[in-house]
């Protein structure tokens, strides 16, 4: 009788275990293919981020020294997971998938440790005697969040599969080692992560080209531009090229989509050309996607002065313009990225960075790039993002249609008729179209650019298969229909 009871309990526990693993797998698949992400994860924002329709979030600065503040004793490691567990749980409970950025910064384990405020942003290579400790850190990090039922975080709802090794390591302000030392770090992390769980994906350190490829230059034009680059930028480009060649030890490339949205055309073309030279094909993501116009450079100094001075007579007017541009730019970046086959876009940032967060923060636009105000009220970009995620839900493909002077994209779906999205950049243009498809009406829905949940919708009657309407730099969703009711 006792043996039968023991056997029953054993079988029941196995069934419960299988059910838990199955539920984790199902949960993991929901939204995993979505392109829509945000960064950086901040405590207390998960529920309102989920309302935007975002399915992914990036957790930065998962630093070795934060998780393991003291060296191991007699081969035993002491990891402090509480803070990271709390953040992971909050965003998983809200239904978001997670990407982590691993930093090698460690007071005791690395060759050096940067002074504040750069302490956790700037990484140094491990000391020779602590390379295995770094390996163990990555192994145990992946093991804790891999969802295999062994040493998992209590309450883990689905596995974390994607880990980025450093960020913008081509710049010495973020990585203080050599290209070779980064290669060793990447290889060490790759082996540790794959041993913990073979389905883990390693992301190459996020790469940032600045404005170099924004005008989609030809090879000859690019060579000329590179020759004119300051020495430190030439060095960064060499770093990018050499690390892209390390394709045996990473699965995904992270491109930092900071500047003009059309720059993605040049960047993606260049990355794929470099990969082809070495016989690789890799998934490309757009991490650190700036949601705002880059107004912190010299040519926009006047605008920046007004934006940062609440007492300026034109402050409110300029801020309204800036927030409207943030909403428009964010939509444009997602559309262009999707057309190019970029798999994930992490729009930055959930809240404004502090101008004192790190050295040079005031020279970058991140301190203006928040999706939410300080009181957590949404800015216009929140509503534009939510509008876009609803329109593009379960989209199959986005393709650009040839049309001189305008950006016109067709969005195809698996289970419904396509929609279109269009805009132009220079001045408003009257567009004349002759239609092959017989429809009675055209519905135009503009991207939301104010702190208002309701979009502007216009219905135009089509006469004799000919259509005339006006486009400007605010993207508009277009749908052909036989009825005047409903929305695009």
């Amino acid at each position: 009788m006792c043996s039968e009871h023991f056997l029953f309990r054993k079988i029941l526990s196995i069934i419960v275990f299988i059910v838990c693993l199955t539920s984790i797998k199902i949960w993991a698949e929901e939204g995993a293919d979505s392109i829509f992400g945000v960064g950086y994860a901040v405590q207390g924002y998960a529920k309102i981020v989920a309302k935007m329709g975002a399915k992914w979030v990036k957790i930065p600065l998962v630093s070795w020294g934060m998780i393991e503040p003291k060296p191991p004793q007699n081969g035993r490691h002491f990891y402090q997971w509480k803070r990271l567990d709390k953040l992971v749980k909050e965003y998983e409970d809200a239904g978001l998938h997670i990407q982590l950025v691993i930093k090698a910064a460690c007071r005791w384990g690395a060759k050096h440790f940067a002074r504040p405020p750069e302490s956790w942003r700037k990484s140094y290579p491990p000391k020779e005697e602590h390379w295995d400790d770094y390996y163990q850190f990555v192994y145990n990090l992946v093991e804790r969040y891999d969802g295999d039922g062994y040493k998992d975080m209590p309450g883990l709802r689905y596995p974390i599969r994607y880990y980025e090794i450093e960020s913008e390591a081509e710049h010495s302000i973020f990585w203080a080692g050599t290209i070779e030392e980064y290669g060793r770090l990447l290889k060490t992390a790759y082996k540790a992560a794959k041993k913990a769980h073979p389905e883990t994906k390693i992301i190459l350190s996020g790469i940032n080209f600045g404005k170099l490829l924004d005008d989609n230059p030809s090879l000859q034009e690019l060579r000329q531009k590179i020759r004119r680059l300051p020495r430190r930028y030439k060095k960064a480009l060499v770093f990018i090229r050499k690390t892209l060649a390390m394709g045996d030890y990473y699965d995904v490339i992270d491109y930092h989509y900071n500047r003009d949205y059309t720059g993605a055309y040049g960047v993606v073309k260049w990355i794929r050309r470099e990969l082809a030279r070495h016989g690789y094909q890799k998934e490309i993501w757009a991490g650190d996607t700036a949601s705002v116009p880059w107004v912190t450079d010299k040519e926009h100094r006047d605008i920046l002065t007004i934006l940062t001075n609440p007492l300026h007579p034109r402050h409110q007017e300029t801020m309204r313009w800036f927030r409207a541009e943030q909403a428009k730019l964010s939509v444009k970046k997602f559309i262009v990225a999707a057309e190019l086959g970029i798999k994930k876009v992490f729009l930055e940032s959930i809240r404004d960075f502090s101008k004192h967060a790190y050295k040079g923060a005031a020279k970058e636009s991140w301190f203006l790039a928040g999706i939410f105000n300080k009181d957590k009220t949404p800015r216009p970009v929140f509503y534009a993002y939510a509008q876009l995620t609803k329109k593009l839900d379960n989209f199959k493909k986005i393709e650009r249609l040839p049309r001189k002077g305008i950006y016109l994209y067709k969005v195809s779906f698996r289970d419904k008729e396509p929609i279109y999205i269009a805009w132009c950049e220079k001045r408003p243009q009257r567009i004349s179209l002759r239609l092959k498809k017989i429809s009675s009406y055209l519905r135009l829905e503009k991207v939301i650019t104010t702190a208002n949940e309701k979009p502007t919708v216009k219905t135009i009657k089509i006469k004799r298969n000919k259509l005339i309407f006006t486009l400007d730099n605010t993207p508009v969703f277009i749908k052909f229909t036989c009825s005047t009711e409903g929305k695009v």
Side-chain angles (χ1 to χ4, degrees):
M1 186 74 178
C2 290
S3 60
E4 290 178 359
H5 180 67
F6 174 78
L7 182 61
F8 173 77
R9 289 181 61 188
K10 191 74 173 175
I11 293 171
L12 183 63
S13 66
I14 291 171
I15 292 172
V16 170
F17 177 69
I18 292 171
V19 169
C20 287
L21 285 184
T22 303
S23 64
I24 284 175
K25 186 175 181 181
I26 293 171
W27 183 272
E29 290 172 351
E30 293 179 1
D33 291 336
S34 174
I35 192 175
F36 294 105
V38 293
Y40 290 142
V42 181
Q43 204 80 50
Y45 282 80
K47 288 183 179 179
I48 52 176
V49 164
K51 289 180 180 179
M52 298 166 59
K55 298 298 182 183
W56 285 84
V57 69
K58 180 187 287 190
I59 298 180
L61 304 182
V62 181
S63 299
W64 178 18
M66 278 187 176
I67 301 296
E68 191 176 14
K70 295 180 180 180
Q73 301 294 321
N74 298 320
R76 185 183 176 191
H77 294 266
F78 301 91
Y79 300 115
Q80 296 187 5
W81 304 111
K82 185 176 180 181
R83 184 179 175 186
L84 183 56
D85 282 356
K86 186 177 180 182
L87 198 57
V88 167
K89 184 173 184 349
E90 180 187 340
Y91 279 87
E92 283 200 346
D93 285 353
L96 281 92
H97 297 269
I98 294 170
Q99 179 219 319
L100 298 182
V101 181
I102 300 176
K103 299 287 290 181
C106 182
R107 194 181 300 273
W108 57 266
K111 288 183 177 180
H112 299 284
F113 188 70
R115 294 179 179 179
E118 306 298 324
S119 301
W120 303 114
R121 291 176 76 247
K122 185 171 186 175
S123 296
Y124 289 84
K127 295 174 183 175
E128 195 58 41
E129 65 270 28
H130 289 303
W131 274 97
D132 184 64
D133 295 320
Y134 175 77
Y135 175 98
Q136 293 299 327
F137 158 63
V138 175
Y139 173 85
N140 282 280
L141 176 68
V142 174
E143 185 60 67
R144 187 166 184 83
Y145 302 108
D146 64 3
D148 65 355
Y150 175 70
K151 291 187 176 180
D152 286 348
M153 177 192 99
L156 185 73
R157 299 192 70 169
Y158 61 95
I160 297 175
R161 289 282 183 257
Y162 292 89
Y163 296 82
E164 184 175 340
I165 309 305
E166 301 298 321
S167 181
E168 295 190 21
E170 71 269 18
H171 298 306
S172 59
I173 57 172
F174 299 117
W175 171 251
T178 64
I179 296 173
E180 292 73 24
E181 286 171 321
Y182 177 76
R184 184 179 178 185
L185 192 84
L186 181 69
K187 185 176 181 179
T188 301
Y190 182 90
K191 289 185 173 182
K194 296 288 184 177
K195 183 178 180 182
H197 200 289
E199 292 181 17
T200 304
K201 304 297 182 185
I202 292 298
I203 305 173
L204 186 67
S205 170
I207 53 181
N208 184 352
F209 294 92
K211 298 188 293 184
L212 182 64
L213 299 167
D214 273 8
D215 56 353
N216 197 7
S218 66
L219 276 174
Q220 185 177 355
E221 290 168 335
L222 181 58
R223 290 190 190 103
Q224 292 173 353
K225 292 177 78 169
I226 291 172
R227 279 197 293 267
R228 295 193 295 267
L229 283 176
R231 185 175 177 274
R232 63 190 176 109
Y233 293 127
K234 288 180 181 177
K235 187 178 178 182
L237 191 58
V238 169
F239 193 107
I240 291 170
R241 277 187 160 137
K242 287 191 175 183
T243 52
L244 282 173
M246 300 173 184
D248 291 346
Y249 299 106
Y250 67 86
D251 304 288
V252 178
I253 293 166
D254 179 29
Y255 146 55
H256 287 183
Y257 197 2
N258 289 350
R259 305 298 180 95
D260 190 86
Y261 69 90
T262 61
Y265 288 107
V267 167
V268 170
K269 181 173 70 176
W270 186 89
I271 289 174
R272 286 178 177 154
R273 188 166 57 222
E274 284 294 310
L275 289 174
R277 288 177 56 215
H278 303 286
Y280 295 122
Q281 285 185 328
K282 300 288 182 179
E283 211 170 88
I284 300 174
W285 290 15
D288 286 16
T289 298
S291 63
V292 291
W294 204 260
V295 295
T296 43
D297 49 19
K298 291 181 181 178
E299 59 189 289
H300 297 103
R301 188 169 291 167
D302 292 345
I303 295 175
L304 185 63
T305 299
I306 297 171
L307 289 172
T308 54
N309 181 9
L311 299 178
H312 194 284
R314 292 182 56 201
H315 174 76
Q316 290 187 353
E317 170 197 352
T318 305
M319 186 60 79
R320 280 195 298 272
W321 166 84
F322 186 73
R323 293 302 167 205
E325 288 300 309
Q326 181 183 22
K328 298 174 193 178
L329 180 63
S330 298
V331 169
K332 292 171 185 178
K333 284 191 170 183
F334 271 104
I335 295 297
V336 170
E339 186 226 341
L340 288 169
I342 292 174
K343 298 300 183 183
K344 302 280 181 281
V345 177
F346 291 86
L347 193 71
E348 301 288 353
S349 185
I350 290 174
R351 67 179 183 187
D352 292 341
F353 285 20
S354 166
K355 286 193 286 186
H356 309 291
Y358 53 89
K359 186 179 179 181
K363 295 180 181 179
E364 299 180 337
S365 293
W366 303 116
F367 73 92
L368 296 165
I371 296 169
F372 300 94
N373 294 305
K374 289 182 179 179
D375 60 359
K376 293 188 180 180
T377 55
R379 288 171 174 165
V381 64
F382 170 91
Y383 299 107
Y385 191 112
Q387 181 186 23
L388 183 66
T389 58
K390 288 177 183 177
K391 297 296 180 192
L392 268 59
D393 182 44
N394 201 31
F395 79 91
K396 181 181 178 182
K397 182 175 68 172
I398 295 181
E399 55 186 315
R400 187 175 178 185
L401 304 180
R403 185 76 186 183
K404 188 176 180 180
I406 69 171
Y407 293 86
L408 175 62
Y409 299 85
K410 179 182 179 181
V411 184
S412 301
F413 299 88
R414 293 177 177 84
D415 54 356
K416 60 183 178 181
E417 290 295 306
I419 63 171
Y420 300 81
I421 184 165
W423 66 87
C424 63
E425 286 299 350
K426 293 183 179 178
R427 63 172 187 264
Q429 291 190 37
R430 283 178 68 79
I431 307 300
S432 177
L433 297 175
R434 287 205 171 272
L435 308 174
K436 294 180 181 179
K437 186 174 180 179
I438 298 174
S439 298
S440 301
Y441 297 94
L442 182 77
R443 299 227 177 127
L444 306 175
E445 180 178 324
K446 285 205 165 189
V447 164
I448 299 169
T449 58
T450 61
N452 185 339
E453 295 184 51
K454 294 182 179 180
T456 301
V457 180
K458 185 178 181 180
T459 304
I460 301 174
K461 189 170 184 178
I462 300 171
K463 298 179 180 179
R464 297 177 183 177
N465 284 4
K466 187 177 180 181
L467 180 66
I468 298 175
F469 61 99
T470 301
L471 278 179
D472 57 22
N473 75 336
T474 301
V476 60
F477 297 101
I478 304 168
K479 184 178 181 181
F480 298 100
T481 179
C482 294
S483 169
T484 60
E485 298 179 2
K487 293 183 179 180
V488 175

